[in-house]
């Protein structure tokens, strides 16, 4: 029996091509192969012999199959290497030597489109468009915005913490700090960009989304100025006259802080499912910049003040196109993206 | 945080009055507009409206069902037949009847129902119908207004009903009734001694001791009240502490006096190695950063967070120590987050509670305890220890400044009235200014500067009363960083080439990193990833783009996409904006690669392609580096077939930061040539892997100054050419700036090239 096994093993290993190997496999491991023969007369053996035979067959099967698989994968990788080698391409030939592709224009991501649109609107009002890093320090993301360590307001923004005492920015407000530090007053700036919150993803929540924060620092900026400005801006964004209202909201980097609601654009304020029958839709947080924040950025709050606000770009895209599931935006799915 | 409308009404009695009353619904709107965001309003104990105390007269079984038929004396509703499934339904008991209309149950017409305490929302007991002893009135249903916790993070006082009632009184102009009678407090000198090690971490510790306590269930009104706001009734003593916490925002704790060791209670940092079994069944290992309350044997409570198991109130308790203390907000928050234990107490303390409130809570307990535990007796006086409480300096509020901040003129009397209704103290040292003293419950961290008062006045006058006005700002050109416009150019270019923009996550998995040959340790790790597979910050856009390729290949035979995104590198910490484009096709892949090369050339005209050692993820014979102005700008390659099934994907990766930094070479103008040029073609026989770029360089080298252009035309392989050989054709354009070249000169150029190439081992065809 051992001889039978050894010779079968030798035959497998002697195969020079994949075809040969396959033929040997049928002969050795197939239904009429060596192993099949060994188990044929099992019925005539004593129980003891049968056990020994069974054990032998098992071991034999394992070693034969092992040898077969090893060789097979070697042949396969050789074949792949050979095929890939034959596919060598000279990429130094001019690109013009390839035919022009038959394709129409591609498309910009809907977030990009709305971001550019809003950037242009702000630029027309004399705002600078700034950006900062996505990986931030605790100082810029929290402390400089009047959210010290152990402040319960940190709960409002579930944070991704990174090794090395860094974090993923939870808002683009740190860019305001950087803007104030770099440009000084008077200042009109916006900071659009990608932000991160440690939240489970579902149809209406994402851990990665886009925001646009803005601020205006000047002399004698009032709540009335803020309301006027937001109304003007939102009327431009929604391309129709909107009605806004302010109500108290707590955000440590502003004082006083507001939640800004707009009168529901669907029902016009009479109440519908979109506004939960209230006639108003909560749209954005805003407020007068907290003097501590100004001071921490080197601006004298006795001379300067201003307002700040945050706009959810992702939210605006969802609203504008009535997108049913926020996850499409980061899906990379062209069935979705090509529609824009 | 849930607020009971009827509870608030106890402190603002005018709310319920016939004329000028305010319903729960309108109160919700007023609170939203002036104080904090309401998330909704709901009814607690809906079945209680209409319910009456009833007596069960007779009970008989219903054949074939486990339900029983009961005849009930439902007081004003008369005698009713009700089908009831509760096993404790028996003749003679007093229970609760709820009229529901006729309904056939178990074959019998049932007229209404008998209710359990859970159904009535008094507590969670649904083991049977509620049995009454006949002395207690039924609680009544209530409206519950839920406030978004995030909107009262800055308001320690709003974590209790009395604080909200103060707001409501100010909003509605009604009178606020203070439920606290401080004269009930005994003289100082408690039967327990209190020692505070650090009055910064524990500014105040007050306590009373009571004996002859009977621990029993609370009366129904108290159980219903706690249940309505989401707290569980436990026993009269525990319920009392919760009631006062929900009323005054002052967390309290009751210890079983007989289980404490010694006569002294310490408020101190935990000692290294101390641990405490807590009320919730967990045992917490403590460190000196955790404040504890301790007796002579060790910790009996984690300060401001949770009580200890061993000193807890039980049915056999007869003597209690009632703690009402104040703890440092930051310290409680740190302890609570390090132990991962948020409690109703820690949630309040971390908002910075008012130390003046400790004795108010004890006074309230003195009033209520005799009602909950008849016969209870106070032992000794008030234990009260802590640092001296100082009032903050008054804030000067300039009235003109206030009006400018808001953008509306204001009467001084209006401002005074608003501030006083919120219990700020107002004096007027001169015509322009108010001097405003801050009530202790607003002074812990909420109100400290005039800007905070802008909010108080603004919200009360109503922001809608402020006229809209355009800002008048200083004229100044805006500063725009050049990156923005550059990125727009790149994206527009890509779209014009037929590519669709995608956006991928900044996170990748360890497995993805390995698959693309990226060292896991080169990635910044997320300490608290939201999901498995998102634990590393991407140092390449490739894993995301690869996912896009695989997923879109299920729907499309060919597609083009790109992403502009940031790579986040670890050492040094830096972000690099990259452009990555991919084309998926089902053909031999050559055009896709050249198409991407054209995309790259559009952004970096004249870039050079150099074959490169392939990475693990690249087709080993289709990988190249892209160089521009002597710098490596990116990579052009095909993905390894292992990574893409049923097709091929060409990928282009460009470093946009570098691309922007490198200015395109300025064009060198040469006068337009006036003399005709001549062109001739050359076909060169070479080994099949000779690069076109090499051949072109050689031709230029030998052609000399008279060659104006050398252009690749085509190449050919196959019979009659020998195996392993190819023929590459170039067009050479010869000319001179000052004359038309003679045919002899042109031949000479051609000969020079041919001879030169021959010298290099190439043949001409």
């Amino acid at each position: 029996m051992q001889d039978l096994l050894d010779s079968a093993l030798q035959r497998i290993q002697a195969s020079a091509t994949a075809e040969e190997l396959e033929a040997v496999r049928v002969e050795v491991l197939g239904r009429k192969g060596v192993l099949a023969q060994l188990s044929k007369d099992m019925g005539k053996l004593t129980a003891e012999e049968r056990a020994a035979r069974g054990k032998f067959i098992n071991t034999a099967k394992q070693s034969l199959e092992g040898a077969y698989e090893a060789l097979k994968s070697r042949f396969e990788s050789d074949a792949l290497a050979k095929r890939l080698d034959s596919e060598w391409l000279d990429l130094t030939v001019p690109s013009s030597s390839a035919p022009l592709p038959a394709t129409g224009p591609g498309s910009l991501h809907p977030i990009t489109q709305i971001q550019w649109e809003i950037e242009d609107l702000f630029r027309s009002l004399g705002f600078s468009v700034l950006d900062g890093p996505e990986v931030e320090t605790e100082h810029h993301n929290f402390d400089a915005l009047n959210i010290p360590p152990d402040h319960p307001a940190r709960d409002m923004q579930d944070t991704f913490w990174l090794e090395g005492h860094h974090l993923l920015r939870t808002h683009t407000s740190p860019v305001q700090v950087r803007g104030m530090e770099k440009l000084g007053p008077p200042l009109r700036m916006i900071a659009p960009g990608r932000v991160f919150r440690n939240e489970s993803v579902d149809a209406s929540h994402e851990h990665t989304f886009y925001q646009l924060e803005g601020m205006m620092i000047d002399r004698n900026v009032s709540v009335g100025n803020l309301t006027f400005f937001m109304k003007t801006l939102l009327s431009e964004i929604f391309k129709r006259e909107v009605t806004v209202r302010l109500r108290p909201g707590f955000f440590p980097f502003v004082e006083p802080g507001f939640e800004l609601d707009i009168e529901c654009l669907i029902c016009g304020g009479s109440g519908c499912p979109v506004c939960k029958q209230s006639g108003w839709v909560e749209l954005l947080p805003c407020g007068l910049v907290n003097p501590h924040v100004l001071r921490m950025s080197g601006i004298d709050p006795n001379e300067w003040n201003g307002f700040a606000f945050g706009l959810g770009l992702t939210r605006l895209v969802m609203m504008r196109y009535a997108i049913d599931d926020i996850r499409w935006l980061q899906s990379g799915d062209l069935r979705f993206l090509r529609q824009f | 945080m849930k607020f009971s409308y009827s509870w608030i009404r106890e402190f603002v009695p005018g709310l319920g009055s016939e004329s000028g009353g305010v319903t729960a619904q309108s109160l919700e709107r007023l609170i939203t507009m002036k104080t904090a965001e309401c998330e909704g309003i709901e009814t607690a104990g809906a079945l209680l409206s209409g319910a009456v105390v009833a007596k069960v007269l007779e009970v008989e079984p219903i054949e074939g069902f486990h339900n029983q038929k009961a005849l009930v004396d439902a007081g004003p509703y008369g005698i009713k037949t009700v089908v009831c499934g509760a096993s404790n339904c028996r003749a003679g008991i007093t229970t609760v009847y709820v009229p529901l209309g006729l309904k056939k149950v178990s074959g019998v017409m049932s007229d209404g129902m008998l209710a359990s305490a859970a159904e009535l929302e008094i507590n969670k007991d649904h083991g049977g119908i509620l049995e009454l002893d006949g002395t207690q009135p039924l609680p009544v249903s209530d409206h519950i207004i839920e406030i978004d916790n995030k909107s009262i993070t800055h308001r320690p006082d709003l974590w209790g009903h009395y604080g909200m009632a103060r707001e409501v009184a100010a909003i509605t102009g009604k009178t606020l009734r203070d439920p606290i009678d401080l004269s009930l407090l005994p003289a100082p000198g408690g039967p327990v001694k209190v020692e505070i090690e650090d009055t910064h971490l524990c500014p105040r510790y007050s306590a009373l001791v009571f004996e002859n306590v009977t621990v029993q269930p609370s009366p129904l009104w108290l159980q219903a009240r706690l249940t309505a706001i989401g707290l569980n009734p436990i026993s009269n003593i525990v319920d009392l502490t919760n009631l006062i916490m929900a009323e005054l925002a002052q967390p309290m704790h009751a210890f079983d006096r007989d289980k404490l060791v010694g006569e002294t209670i310490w408020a101190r940092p935990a000692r290294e190695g101390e641990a405490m079994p807590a009320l919730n069944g967990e045992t917490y290992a403590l460190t000196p950063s955790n404040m504890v309350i301790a007796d002579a044997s060790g910790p009996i409570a984690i300060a401001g967070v949770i009580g200890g198991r061993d000193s807890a109130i039980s049915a056999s308790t007869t003597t209690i120590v009632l703690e009402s203390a104040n703890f440092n907000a930051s310290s409680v928050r740190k302890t609570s987050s390090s132990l991962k234990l948020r409690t109703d107490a820690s949630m309040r303390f971390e908002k910075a509670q008012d130390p003046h409130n400790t004795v108010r809570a004890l006074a309230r307990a003195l009033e209520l305890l005799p009602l909950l535990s008849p016969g209870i007796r106070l032992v000794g006086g008030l234990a009260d220890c802590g640092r001296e409480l100082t009032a903050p300096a008054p804030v000067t509020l300039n009235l003109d400044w206030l009006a400018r901040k808001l953008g509306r003129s204001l009467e001084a009397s209006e401002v005074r009235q608003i501030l006083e209704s919120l219990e700020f103290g107002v004096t007027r040292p001169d015509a322009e200014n108010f001097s405003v003293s801050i009530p202790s419950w607003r002074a812990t961290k909420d109100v400290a500067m005039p800007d905070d008062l802008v909010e108080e006045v603004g919200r009360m006058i109503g922001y809608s009363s402020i006229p809209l006005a355009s800002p008048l700002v200083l004229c100044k050109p805006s500063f725009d960083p050049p990156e923005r416009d550059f990125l727009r150019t790149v994206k527009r270019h890509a779209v014009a080439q037929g590519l669709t923009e995608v956006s991928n996550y900044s996170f990748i998995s360890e497995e993805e990193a390995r698959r693309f040959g990226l060292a896991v340790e080169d990635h910044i790790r997320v300490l608290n990833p939201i999901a498995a597979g998102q634990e590393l910050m991407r140092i390449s856009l490739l894993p995301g783009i690869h996912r896009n390729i695989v997923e879109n290949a299920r729907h499309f035979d060919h597609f083009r996409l790109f992403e502009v995104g940031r790579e986040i590198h670890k050492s040094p910490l830096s972000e690099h904006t990259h452009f990555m484009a991919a084309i998926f096709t089902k053909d031999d892949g050559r055009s896709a690669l050249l198409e991407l090369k054209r995309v790259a050339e559009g952004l970096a005209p004249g870039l050079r392609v150099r074959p490169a050692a392939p990475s693990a993820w690249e087709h080993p014979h289709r990988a190249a580096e892209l160089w521009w102005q002597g710098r490596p700008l990116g990579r052009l390659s095909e993905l390894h077939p292992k990574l893409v099934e049923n097709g091929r994907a060409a990928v282009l990766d460009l470093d946009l930061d570098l691309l922007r930094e490198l200015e395109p070479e300025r064009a060198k103008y040469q006068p337009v040539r006036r003399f005709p040029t001549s062109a001739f073609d050359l076909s060169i026989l070479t080994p099949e892997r000779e690069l076109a770029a090499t051949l072109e360089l050689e031709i230029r080298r030998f052609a000399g100054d008279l060659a104006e252009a050398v252009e690749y035309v085509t190449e050919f392989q196959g019979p009659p050419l020998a195996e392993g050989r190819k023929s590459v054709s170039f067009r050479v354009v010869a000319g001179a700036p000052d004359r038309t070249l003679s045919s002899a000169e042109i031949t000479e150029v051609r000969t020079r090239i041919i001879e030169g190439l021959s010298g290099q081992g190439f043949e001409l065809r």
Side-chain angles (χ1 to χ4, degrees):
Chain A
M1 276 190 323
Q2 189 60 45
D3 288 351
L4 217 58
L5 173 64
D6 288 346
S7 93
L9 210 52
Q10 260 171 25
R11 291 190 54 205
I12 288 175
Q13 279 157 350
S15 308
T17 65
E19 293 73 28
E20 250 183 83
L21 178 66
E22 196 51 31
V24 175
R25 187 189 69 84
V26 173
E27 262 175 58
V28 176
L29 288 159
R31 252 186 306 154
K32 293 179 179 169
V34 177
L35 287 180
Q37 279 165 23
L38 280 176
S39 43
K40 230 179 203 169
D41 53 354
M42 289 263 272
K44 297 171 193 162
L45 301 177
T46 66
E48 216 165 279
E49 285 171 328
R50 215 166 29 233
R53 175 73 64 85
K55 203 172 163 194
F56 177 80
I57 292 177
N58 255 342
T59 328
K61 192 167 176 223
Q62 274 174 20
S63 74
L64 290 174
E65 278 175 354
Y68 165 76
E69 291 297 338
L71 200 56
K72 184 173 166 232
S73 77
R74 207 178 80 208
F75 283 144
E76 278 169 1
S77 68
D78 287 353
L80 178 64
K82 202 170 156 198
R83 176 165 76 80
L84 296 185
D85 186 64
S86 76
E87 288 175 355
W88 179 90
L89 263 189
D90 179 3
L91 295 176
T92 67
V93 302
S95 53
S96 57
S97 67
L100 276 174
T103 176
S107 58
L108 287 170
H109 196 283
I111 297 271
T112 303
Q113 296 187 30
I114 214 148
Q115 182 178 327
W116 289 6
E117 187 184 316
I118 295 176
E119 282 176 8
D120 290 346
L121 177 58
F122 276 101
R123 282 187 184 189
S124 77
L125 294 168
F127 278 69
S128 298
V129 183
L130 304 180
D131 201 355
E134 290 172 4
V135 174
E136 266 295 0
T137 59
E138 211 172 329
H139 171 79
H140 276 104
N141 196 74
F142 287 126
D143 303 52
L145 292 161
N146 203 27
I147 316 174
D150 305 311
H151 193 291
R154 289 207 175 181
D155 291 346
M156 292 162 77
Q157 303 183 351
D158 294 326
T159 309
F160 281 112
W161 294 94
L162 305 178
E163 56 181 337
H165 303 291
H166 283 86
L167 51 82
L168 291 174
R169 64 178 177 193
T170 55
H171 42 200
T172 50
S173 313
V175 185
Q176 295 179 350
V177 178
R178 290 170 184 274
M180 285 188 281
E181 287 169 353
K182 184 174 171 187
L183 302 174
L187 176 65
R188 268 161 281 164
M189 59 156 286
I190 56 165
R194 170 180 283 211
V195 301
F196 307 84
R197 300 270 171 96
N198 197 334
E199 279 189 23
S200 301
V201 176
D202 62 29
S204 46
H205 297 91
E206 250 291 2
H207 57 58
T208 298
F209 55 98
Y210 289 80
Q211 239 191 15
L212 181 153
E213 306 221 5
M215 74 173 5
M216 177 186 284
I217 305 287
D218 218 289
R219 301 182 196 275
N220 290 323
V221 179
S222 71
V223 175
N225 294 154
L226 166 64
T227 322
F228 173 90
F229 182 83
M230 295 316 301
K231 181 180 161 71
T232 307
L233 179 82
L234 293 168
S235 296
E236 282 295 320
I237 290 174
F238 290 107
K239 312 224 183 307
R240 57 202 273 195
E241 192 71 10
V242 299
T243 307
V244 303
R245 72 172 190 190
L246 300 182
R247 54 187 172 80
F250 169 62
F251 310 98
F253 32 95
V254 287
E255 185 65 55
F258 313 112
E259 291 281 6
L260 181 140
D261 299 337
I262 59 169
E263 200 168 68
C264 181
L265 297 173
I266 309 293
C267 64
S270 57
C272 70
V274 170
C275 60
K276 295 176 193 139
Q277 307 303 333
S278 71
W280 296 90
V281 175
E282 180 177 322
L283 194 68
L284 58 85
C286 54
L288 297 187
V289 181
N290 191 306
H292 292 315
V293 173
L294 293 174
R295 212 172 285 123
M296 275 187 277
S297 299
I299 295 176
D300 179 1
N302 294 320
E303 196 177 341
W304 304 96
N305 75 335
F307 60 71
F309 55 89
L311 252 181
L313 292 174
T314 301
R315 171 110 189 277
L316 284 180
V317 169
M318 303 276 292
M319 281 171 80
R320 172 168 296 180
Y321 298 104
I323 294 168
D324 51 345
D325 191 328
I326 196 170
R327 289 169 290 198
W328 284 118
L329 294 167
Q330 294 290 118
S331 69
D333 193 321
L334 296 174
R335 292 173 301 168
F336 170 80
L337 294 167
R338 280 179 177 175
Q339 298 180 35
F340 299 95
Chain B
M1 170 86 189
K2 290 181 170 180
F3 288 91
S4 147
Y5 172 73
S6 59
W7 202 338
I8 290 174
R9 210 172 51 194
E10 284 177 18
F11 306 131
V12 190
L15 274 191
S17 64
E18 293 289 318
S19 61
V22 181
T23 63
Q25 284 71 19
S26 37
L27 191 59
E28 187 214 5
R29 280 191 294 277
L30 287 170
I31 292 173
T32 292
M33 291 310 293
K34 309 240 172 188
T35 300
E37 186 162 325
C38 296
E39 292 189 315
I41 184 163
E42 58 191 40
T43 305
L47 290 185
L48 282 170
S49 52
V52 290
V53 175
K55 202 167 174 84
V56 179
L57 302 174
E58 285 170 25
V59 174
E60 58 181 271
I62 306 172
E63 181 123 2
F65 295 95
H66 81 278
N67 283 340
Q68 307 180 87
K69 190 166 101 177
L71 198 62
V72 178
D73 177 358
Y77 295 107
I79 307 291
K80 297 284 181 185
T81 302
V82 176
V83 175
C84 181
S87 55
N88 64 335
C89 179
R90 58 192 191 278
I93 63 164
T94 303
T95 180
V96 178
Y97 171 82
V98 179
L100 283 179
L102 283 168
K103 191 179 160 199
K104 199 163 193 172
V105 184
S106 304
V108 174
M109 288 308 287
S110 178
D111 186 3
M113 70 181 271
L114 304 181
S116 69
E119 284 164 329
L120 296 169
E121 296 173 55
I122 291 172
N123 57 42
K124 292 209 165 141
D125 182 5
H126 49 76
I129 53 176
L130 179 61
E131 290 187 43
L132 300 171
D133 59 10
T135 61
Q136 294 192 45
L138 276 183
V140 292
S141 69
D142 198 356
H143 295 287
I144 302 301
I145 298 172
E146 180 152 19
I147 305 282
D148 181 0
N149 285 352
K150 289 175 182 174
S151 74
I152 50 173
T153 299
H154 58 312
R155 291 289 302 269
D157 58 323
L158 295 189
W159 290 77
H161 279 71
Y162 182 65
M164 186 57 84
R166 184 185 293 112
E167 290 285 315
V168 169
I171 293 168
T172 58
K174 298 190 185 299
T175 309
L176 179 71
R177 185 184 72 82
D178 187 349
I180 306 303
D181 180 2
L182 286 177
S183 70
L184 293 177
L185 289 172
V192 286
K193 197 165 160 250
V194 175
E195 298 263 359
I196 301 175
E197 254 183 44
D198 183 342
T199 55
H200 173 66
L201 297 177
C202 175
R204 192 172 191 186
Y205 193 102
S206 316
L208 291 174
V209 177
F210 294 90
E211 63 184 7
N212 202 29
V213 173
T214 319
V215 176
Q216 60 187 24
S218 298
L220 297 179
W221 68 264
L222 173 48
Q223 296 193 35
R225 180 151 276 186
L226 293 179
T227 302
I229 58 165
L231 297 172
N232 286 335
I234 293 166
S235 67
N236 53 351
I237 302 303
V238 178
D239 294 353
L240 169 92
T241 62
N242 283 333
L243 181 84
I244 295 176
M245 173 181 74
E247 188 165 277
L248 302 178
Q250 170 65 54
M252 300 180 95
H253 185 68
F255 298 101
D256 186 328
R257 174 73 183 87
D258 296 330
K259 292 177 185 160
L260 300 184
V261 178
E263 302 298 316
T264 306
I265 289 176
W266 283 273
R268 59 160 170 86
R271 314 274 182 244
E272 201 67 68
E274 274 182 335
M276 192 198 78
L279 279 173
N280 61 0
E282 304 281 327
T283 295
Y284 293 95
L286 303 167
T287 70
S289 70
N290 309 127
M291 273 296 280
V292 297
I293 307 305
D295 66 6
S297 70
I300 52 173
I302 301 169
V305 182
I306 198 165
R309 194 188 57 203
D310 299 341
S311 57
I313 302 296
S314 70
S316 58
T317 300
T318 59
T319 309
I320 60 169
V321 175
L322 192 59
E323 162 194 300
S324 182
N326 185 269
F327 301 108
N328 174 278
S330 237
S331 159
V332 170
R333 186 173 159 83
K334 261 190 228 157
T335 294
S336 151
S337 51
S338 72
L339 301 179
K340 296 188 173 53
L341 178 62
R342 301 204 72 196
T343 59
D344 290 311
S346 75
M347 242 158 51
R348 286 174 172 81
F349 280 124
E350 69 171 30
K351 310 298 188 292
Q353 289 298 332
D354 174 12
H356 292 85
N357 215 9
T358 62
V359 290
R360 285 172 56 81
L362 290 176
R364 185 72 169 140
L366 277 167
E367 182 191 344
L368 291 172
L369 274 173
L371 304 175
L372 305 181
S373 174
I376 194 168
R377 279 194 305 271
L378 181 66
V379 183
L382 172 69
D384 189 17
C385 179
R387 67 172 155 80
E388 195 186 337
L389 302 177
T390 50
V395 172
T396 301
L397 179 64
N398 180 289
L399 293 170
D400 178 53
W401 175 87
L402 172 68
R404 271 185 287 129
K405 275 272 181 177
L406 287 171
R408 202 198 97 164
S409 63
L410 289 155
E411 292 297 325
S413 58
E414 193 182 5
V415 176
R416 178 191 285 269
Q417 186 272 323
I418 286 170
L419 292 174
E420 287 178 345
S421 72
L422 292 165
E423 300 190 45
F424 288 88
V426 180
T427 59
R428 193 171 186 179
D430 54 61
E432 286 83 38
N433 296 295
F434 276 166
S435 172
V436 180
S437 58
I438 301 155
S440 59
W441 56 89
R442 301 294 299 277
T444 49
K445 73 200 296 185
D446 177 19
V447 178
M449 57 182 179
D451 301 76
D452 298 321
L453 298 174
V454 174
E455 169 148 48
E456 297 304 305
V457 174
R459 67 194 178 95
M460 287 297 166
I461 59 170
Y463 294 118
S464 58
S465 75
I466 297 171
L468 275 54
S470 175
L472 300 171
V473 294
L474 295 174
C475 184
K476 186 184 170 189
S478 67
F479 161 83
D480 274 307
E483 303 93 76
R484 286 271 163 195
D485 280 332
F486 172 73
L487 291 184
R488 285 194 183 200
T489 308
V490 170
K491 288 186 176 185
R492 285 210 184 94
H493 172 69
V495 168
Q497 302 287 319
L499 302 159
T500 293
E501 188 186 12
V502 299
S503 173
N504 288 306
Y505 290 136
S506 305
F507 307 109
I508 65 162
S509 67
E510 282 190 26
E511 196 230 321
E512 279 175 313
R514 281 193 210 97
R515 187 186 312 159
F516 295 99
L518 307 166
V520 169
E521 62 273 18
D522 287 349
H523 295 73
I524 295 178
R525 193 171 279 281
V526 182
L527 298 179
N528 55 342
I530 191 84
Q534 304 191 336
E535 60 269 19
L536 304 178
M537 300 308 299
R538 62 181 179 184
I539 58 170
S540 162
L541 305 191
L542 185 62
I545 292 287
H546 173 252
R547 218 176 306 128
N548 300 147
I549 292 168
V550 170
E551 285 170 10
N552 283 299
R554 294 196 200 117
H555 308 293
F556 302 100
D557 283 347
H558 50 85
F559 52 84
R560 300 166 171 77
L561 52 81
F562 78 98
E563 178 174 18
V564 171
R566 300 210 190 150
E567 296 180 358
I568 295 177
H569 291 268
K570 187 172 174 181
S571 47
L573 175 66
S574 52
E575 297 180 21
H576 303 285
T577 305
H578 270 239
F579 170 86
M580 185 168 273
I583 299 180
F584 177 84
T585 57
K586 298 268 189 191
D587 63 15
D588 67 5
R590 182 173 185 270
S591 326
L593 284 160
L594 293 178
E595 203 185 304
L596 286 183
K597 180 175 173 182
R598 178 158 45 217
V599 170
E601 285 168 341
L603 295 168
L607 67 74
R608 301 251 162 235
V609 172
R610 289 188 196 160
S615 299
W617 52 272
E618 287 175 319
H619 188 304
H621 301 287
R622 295 184 169 190
E625 279 174 345
L626 304 177
W627 287 72
W628 197 42
Q629 300 186 40
R631 303 280 294 276
L633 188 63
R635 221 166 160 92
L636 173 65
S637 48
E638 188 173 298
L639 288 186
H640 196 283
K642 282 186 301 195
L643 294 165
V644 186
E645 285 176 7
N646 302 321
R648 294 171 185 271
V651 173
L652 167 68
D653 181 14
L654 293 179
D655 177 346
L656 290 186
D657 296 337
L658 181 59
L659 181 61
R660 191 172 58 80
E661 192 182 298
L662 300 173
E663 296 269 322
E665 278 161 3
R666 183 180 290 177
K668 291 181 196 120
Y669 172 71
Q670 287 184 324
V672 176
R673 298 219 168 165
R674 283 177 296 147
F675 297 93
T677 56
S678 301
F680 56 86
D681 287 359
L682 292 169
S683 290
I684 307 162
L685 279 174
T686 76
E688 64 182 354
R689 299 210 170 167
E690 198 59 56
L691 297 175
T694 314
L695 295 172
E696 187 190 317
L697 275 178
E698 293 288 325
I699 293 170
R700 283 183 188 278
R701 183 153 73 96
F702 296 117
D705 293 346
L706 295 180
E708 278 190 15
V710 177
E711 289 162 8
Y712 171 95
V713 181
T714 185
E715 62 182 67
F716 173 76
Q717 235 180 316
L721 298 184
E723 179 94 352
R725 307 283 288 172
K726 68 178 174 184
S727 161
V728 188
S729 303
F730 288 88
R731 171 157 302 159
V732 180
V733 179
D738 55 348
R739 65 189 193 282
T740 307
L741 293 183
S742 68
S743 61
E745 280 174 303
I746 293 163
T747 309
E748 196 201 319
V749 172
R750 187 182 158 88
T751 311
R752 227 174 26 232
I753 296 170
I754 293 172
E755 283 176 357
L757 286 173
S758 304
Q760 299 294 312
F762 298 111
E763 284 174 63
L764 270 286
R765 206 174 151 218

